[in-house]
Amino acid sequence: MNINVYENYELMSEKVAEYIIDTVNKNPEALLCLAGGDTPLKAYEYLVDAYNNKRVDFSRCKFVGLDEWVGLGNETEGSCIEMLNKHLYSKISLREKQLCFFDGLSKDLEEECKRVDKFIFDNKGIDLILLGVGMNGHLGFNEPNVNPDLYCTVVDLDTVTTKVGVKYFNEEVELKKGITVGMKHIFSSNVKIIMANGERKSDIIKMVVEGERTREIPASLLSNEESLEIFLDNGAASKLTNYKISK
């Protein structure tokens, strides 16, 4: 585990983007798994800018979705695929065959899991996975008391996740289940990045970094991984016992 702390959200986001750019430039055929949500949006702005300025080429990369709300799809503003399409995918000229994302509207969710599993296995695993961390310590929709031995899976959402999740939607939606890349894929990823910003995340970050590894806090299960990079702003890191600001 390597902890990178920056003075503010903007600088943290720039450094995350630069890490992804460096990964792609070294491995142009990388399989990337990128989170939705608010936390990575500024990093995606930097990626789009780098793409427009020809500092990175995504044309040979593959992208796999991290998760999706069951019952929602691209037509629902605030769904995971809609957010990623709007803020990243549509701006970097991806072809359809480069992208594999869960269909939250599918009538056969187990088959969706198998389809996304196959995409990941066919591409020899995830090279870099970018994760936010929930207020309850979830990664994707790997919720508290997670089974760490699952690949893609359908889950019942924790009440914390559903309460926080409504902020993404302008209309009333039913948030009960999610479909997600499971912990086994996360563990197998070559590089795992967790990013968090703001003092509201400081308690959960302290538990992840300095607490015990427990299924009740899924992110803590990665804490002894050498391939884990944690990117924080000063607020999210504020309750850690010992840290220094990176440049």
Side-chain angles (χ1 to χ4, degrees), residues 35-37 65-72 78-81 101-102 104 129 131-134 136-147 150-158 160-166 168-169 174-183 186 218-219:
L66 175 62
D67 53 11
E68 187 57 276
W69 309 93
V70 168
L72 304 185
S79 68
C80 300
I81 183 60
F101 212 96
F102 293 109
I129 188 165
L131 303 155
V133 57
N136 58 6
H138 75 194
L139 298 173
F141 284 142
N142 292 283
E143 300 288 87
N145 297 306
V146 63
N147 181 344
L150 298 179
Y151 287 112
C152 291
T153 184
V154 180
V155 299
D156 293 320
L157 297 175
D158 184 67
V160 173
T161 299
T162 58
K163 287 178 181 177
V164 173
V166 296
Y168 297 117
F169 304 99
E174 184 177 64
L175 306 176
K176 290 186 177 181
K177 289 182 177 290
I179 186 169
T180 188
V181 167
M183 292 299 298
I186 295 175

Side-chain angles (χ1 to χ4, degrees), residues 68-85:
E68 187 57 276
W69 309 93
V70 168
L72 304 185
N74 191 43
E75 76 288 346
T76 303
E77 184 176 354
S79 68
C80 300
I81 183 60
E82 188 272 339
M83 290 188 72
L84 282 162
N85 276 337

